[in-house]
Amino acid sequence: MVLVFGGTTEGRKAVEVLEEGGTPYFYSTKTGEQDITLHHGQRIDGALDAEAMLTFCREHDIRLMVDAAHPFASRLHQTIARTAESLNIPIVRYERIYPPRDPEITWIDNYNEIPHNILSLLATTGVQSIAKLKLLESKGIKVYYRILNRQSSIALAKSQGASDDQLCYYEDPKDIPVEADAILLKESGISGGFTEKVEAAKAQGMRIIVLKRPPIPNTHHQTLIVNGPYGLRRAVEKLLPEFYPLHSGLTTGTCATAAAVAATLKLVKGEKPDEVPVILPNGETITVPVGHGDGYAYCIKEAGDDPDVTNGIEVRASVKPSNAFEILGGEGVGVFTLPGFDYPPGSPAINKAPREMIRKNLEQLPVVNCQLSVTISVPMGAEIARRTFNPRLGIEGGISIIGVSGIVKPFSEEAFIDSIRKCMTVAQASGSERVVINSGGKSERFVKALYPTLPQQAFVEYGNYIGETLKIANELGIKNVTLGVMLGKAVKLAAGHLDTHSRKSVMDKAFIQRMLTESDCNIDISNITLARELWERLRVGDQKSGMKLPADQLDSFARTIIRHCAYHCNPLMPNGELTILLIDDEGNIYA
């Protein structure tokens, strides 16, 4: 069993990660005031002292502790460390990501170091710090305490001697509700809104004083430190393998980045590490195993339990000094031969996200101006590519180096559909008049703007399982469903593919051409590769004449796609009403 200490943004993220396992766990908070939904987890509210924590862990056979508590909860961190040491339980410490310390800011180690050469101070360090700040008032400093506007916080503030005129409230973390000479902040990290608070204080011309975060407790016990959801999942998979039915893997982009980092460390510092840190696109850092060859470093592609023909391949990187930073494709890396990708035909098939990962990670290393030439190669890549969709897409000569998140999160079809069913059940229980299903974060952001009054639970991600999601809605008796779908999935759905995963279906250009003809859109799409090119072609119109298509023809084509989608989707909801919204890459919505 896993025990999570939360009550924070990191605690909320930890819950999202653990829910993916479908396995029971415990979630502990001090006050019980955090609004959070658990499907597989059980809440424990109230502080646990050392004895209570030991007893709980013994009675519930706790085998892993996740410390996602607030960085300033020093006593709790120490108690967790001592308990884990005593019971031989591993810990995953979920740390925040912290920006570099600004030298223009006054940094202090404790409250006694607050400068006294100020007239007024706005303290944003929480109600627990009020008693520690009362000494400043005896020095003639006017202190204001910014707290949450809730009865428990107000009562605690007044019990520590704060008066009504000293209390001020906020809704947004960057709110500055009073004028003061200086502001006192905690080094709360990016997820704690630290950057936004600093920017707001600078805009007000305030002196900024920051209490440094406390150090991580010293422990000789097995502790893994992560600073993001992917790292947390991989840590749980390592320390408690049975928690997840399926394990995650690494994208080829992450493997290429790790190899490039290792090769650069060898070039610059003569080091040959067994593993290297890799910064993912979301800003978190994970540790990736690497190896070293003659003139190159490599990383073995780890697909986890996601079916992938690239599993186990060796992704290599060689690095040499150059006049400018460049990324080249070597043996086994394909070449783009058609337009529509991130880079023009003739470029190595290394997508934008992996290129940015490589560049960003190498910039963190001690390399002057990052002036390096990086060559990525994949032995056997050409042979493996024949078993992928790459030849159809116009990628020739090898595999493509891809990956938007850097991590492959596997889901069996059964597990993913089960998670959809749970979310749909929660959406129904929320009492929402409508459930809005969407493919992911991008499409959800666009459709949310259309339904600002719906609760968060009303928005459900279907991934690729559009048909199964609509069937679930019908089984649950949900009467009003909105389907938000972006063009890439929409053209597959219009052709009758209710599962739009690339392993199950590809874009049918002949069918799309027929829909264009139905819409009186006279353009040729025979040489497009990706669905997003379709919008670009529609906006440009006929390439030979250079004439743009009128807006009514764009609308006509959108309606044609929606009509074909409805033909396949409406029978799945015979007792409900389905609204289909087509979304383009710029967020324009067609109904």
Side-chain angles (χ1 to χ4, degrees):
M1 188 72 80
V2 176
L3 172 58
V4 182
F5 294 91
T8 56
T9 300
E10 288 67 39
R12 189 181 298 278
K13 292 178 181 177
V15 163
E16 293 174 359
V17 172
L18 295 181
E19 286 288 334
E20 295 170 356
T23 303
Y25 63 94
F26 291 102
Y27 184 71
S28 173
T29 65
K30 181 179 180 180
T31 65
E33 294 179 316
Q34 186 179 31
D35 182 16
I36 193 167
T37 301
L38 308 179
H39 299 298
H40 303 288
Q42 180 178 332
R43 291 193 69 147
I44 309 167
D45 296 327
L48 292 175
D49 60 20
E51 183 177 351
M53 193 178 296
L54 277 168
T55 300
F56 185 90
C57 290
R58 288 193 181 107
E59 291 179 350
H60 295 89
D61 190 26
I62 299 301
R63 298 176 57 199
L64 176 65
M65 301 170 80
V66 177
D67 183 358
H70 195 280
F72 281 79
S74 298
R75 181 178 297 177
L76 175 57
H77 297 314
Q78 292 166 1
T79 302
I80 293 170
R82 287 196 297 267
T83 301
E85 191 74 28
S86 174
L87 299 178
N88 195 30
I89 300 172
I91 302 172
V92 180
R93 173 74 181 260
Y94 196 150
E95 275 285 288
R96 296 184 175 184
I97 299 173
Y98 297 93
R101 287 177 176 168
D102 185 345
E104 296 182 1
I105 290 174
T106 301
W107 297 89
I108 59 175
D109 292 306
N110 56 66
Y111 292 97
N112 294 330
E113 295 179 4
I114 296 174
H116 293 170
N117 59 343
I118 52 177
L119 297 176
S120 56
L121 176 71
L122 172 61
T124 68
T125 45
V127 291
Q128 299 287 355
S129 67
I130 292 177
K132 301 174 184 178
L133 295 169
K134 297 301 290 182
L135 178 63
L136 296 177
E137 297 178 35
S138 66
K139 304 293 183 181
I141 300 172
K142 177 68 175 180
V143 183
Y144 300 96
Y145 303 105
R146 196 192 72 165
I147 65 173
L148 287 171
N149 189 8
R150 61 188 183 196
Q151 289 304 313
S152 59
S153 297
I154 294 171
L156 182 56
K158 289 187 175 181
S159 70
Q160 296 183 74
S163 60
D164 287 329
D165 67 322
Q166 288 181 289
L167 297 180
C168 52
Y169 310 102
Y170 71 101
E171 295 182 2
D172 190 301
K174 63 178 180 289
D175 287 346
I176 299 180
V178 297
E179 292 185 6
D181 296 334
I183 186 170
L184 176 64
L185 305 172
K186 284 182 175 179
E187 189 181 12
S188 55
I190 291 175
S191 66
F194 180 76
T195 303
E196 290 82 1
K197 295 173 188 175
V198 168
E199 290 175 352
K202 285 184 175 181
Q204 297 289 331
M206 304 173 76
R207 180 177 180 180
I208 302 171
I209 305 166
V210 179
L211 184 66
K212 297 176 187 175
R213 65 186 186 273
I216 297 174
N218 290 325
T219 175
H220 298 293
H221 193 78
Q222 184 181 11
T223 301
L224 294 182
I225 299 175
V226 302
N227 63 356
Y230 296 132
L232 174 59
R233 172 157 182 155
R234 290 178 64 78
V236 175
E237 290 172 350
K238 178 179 180 179
L239 297 171
L240 199 64
E242 65 271 26
F243 188 85
Y244 290 100
L246 299 174
H247 288 185
S248 63
L250 304 175
T251 64
T252 48
T254 296
C255 294
T257 301
V261 170
T264 304
L265 289 173
K266 174 64 167 62
L267 174 70
V268 176
K269 302 178 70 175
E271 298 176 354
K272 299 173 69 174
D274 295 328
E275 57 184 20
V276 294
V278 171
I279 304 170
L280 299 178
N282 70 349
E284 72 172 285
T285 301
I286 63 170
T287 301
V288 179
V290 293
H292 302 270
D294 185 12
Y296 64 89
Y298 65 88
C299 177
I300 302 300
K301 172 71 162 68
E302 171 197 340
D305 288 315
D306 191 63
D308 192 335
V309 297
T310 64
N311 185 45
I313 65 171
E314 187 175 283
V315 181
R316 296 179 177 178
S318 58
V319 177
K320 63 181 181 180
S322 177
N323 292 327
F325 180 71
E326 61 180 353
I327 298 175
L328 307 175
E331 174 194 1
V333 173
V335 174
F336 297 131
T337 63
L338 295 175
F341 292 97
D342 292 329
Y343 299 94
S347 302
I350 305 173
N351 287 357
K352 184 177 181 179
R355 288 176 186 256
E356 286 299 304
M357 280 183 66
I358 294 171
R359 180 191 58 78
K360 182 175 181 179
N361 277 269
L362 296 190
E363 284 178 347
Q364 307 299 312
L365 301 177
V367 182
V368 178
N369 295 325
C370 202
Q371 292 180 319
L372 295 172
S373 176
V374 181
T375 300
I376 305 300
S377 58
V378 182
M380 304 298 292
E383 179 181 336
I384 293 169
R386 298 189 188 103
R387 290 178 274 160
T388 71
F389 281 126
N390 277 9
R392 291 194 196 184
L393 297 175
I395 300 173
E396 298 181 357
I399 69 166
S400 48
I401 305 299
I402 59 175
V404 175
S405 68
I407 294 292
V408 178
K409 290 173 60 177
F411 285 99
S412 68
E413 183 170 327
E414 180 182 359
F416 197 99
I417 293 172
D418 183 56
S419 70
I420 293 173
R421 185 179 298 278
K422 289 185 175 69
C423 291
M424 293 289 280
T425 302
V426 171
Q428 184 182 44
S430 73
S432 174
E433 61 186 17
R434 177 175 298 275
V435 175
V436 182
I437 63 174
N438 54 86
S439 59
K442 188 174 183 180
S443 62
E444 181 174 305
R445 186 170 69 251
F446 293 141
V447 294
K448 268 186 174 179
L450 293 181
Y451 299 102
T453 61
L454 295 184
Q456 173 63 39
Q457 294 86 349
F459 297 88
V460 175
E461 180 179 336
Y462 57 71
N464 289 296
Y465 300 107
I466 298 173
E468 292 296 333
T469 304
L470 293 176
K471 290 177 185 177
I472 292 169
N474 184 64
E475 292 170 10
L476 294 175
I478 297 173
K479 297 300 182 183
N480 296 295
V481 175
T482 293
L483 164 63
V485 60
M486 300 194 74
L487 185 63
K489 295 184 186 297
V491 294
K492 293 181 180 181
L493 180 61
H497 299 290
L498 295 170
D499 181 345
T500 58
H501 197 287
S502 59
R503 289 196 296 268
K504 301 289 185 69
S505 60
V506 295
M507 182 176 63
D508 186 341
K509 288 192 285 187
F511 178 72
I512 295 172
Q513 190 70 64
R514 291 200 296 274
M515 288 196 292
L516 287 165
T517 301
E518 288 179 35
S519 311
D520 295 323
C521 296
N522 186 26
I523 62 171
D524 178 21
I525 61 164
S526 59
N527 64 342
I528 70 169
T529 306
L530 304 174
R532 69 184 184 198
E533 293 178 81
L534 188 55
W535 282 128
E536 297 167 3
R537 190 65 55 82
L538 287 167
R539 293 190 181 99
V540 173
D542 182 70
Q543 287 186 315
K544 294 180 181 178
S545 67
M547 294 180 60
K548 294 183 178 180
L549 290 177
D552 60 344
Q553 286 194 4
L554 285 174
D555 291 339
S556 175
F557 180 57
R559 288 195 298 272
T560 298
I561 295 176
I562 292 171
R563 184 174 70 252
H564 281 278
C565 291
Y567 175 79
H568 299 289
C569 292
N570 282 337
L572 303 179
M573 284 193 61
N575 302 314
E577 180 180 336
L578 176 64
T579 300
I580 299 177
L581 304 178
L582 177 63
I583 309 166
D584 69 15
D585 285 339
E586 296 179 357
N588 298 310
I589 295 179
Y590 302 84

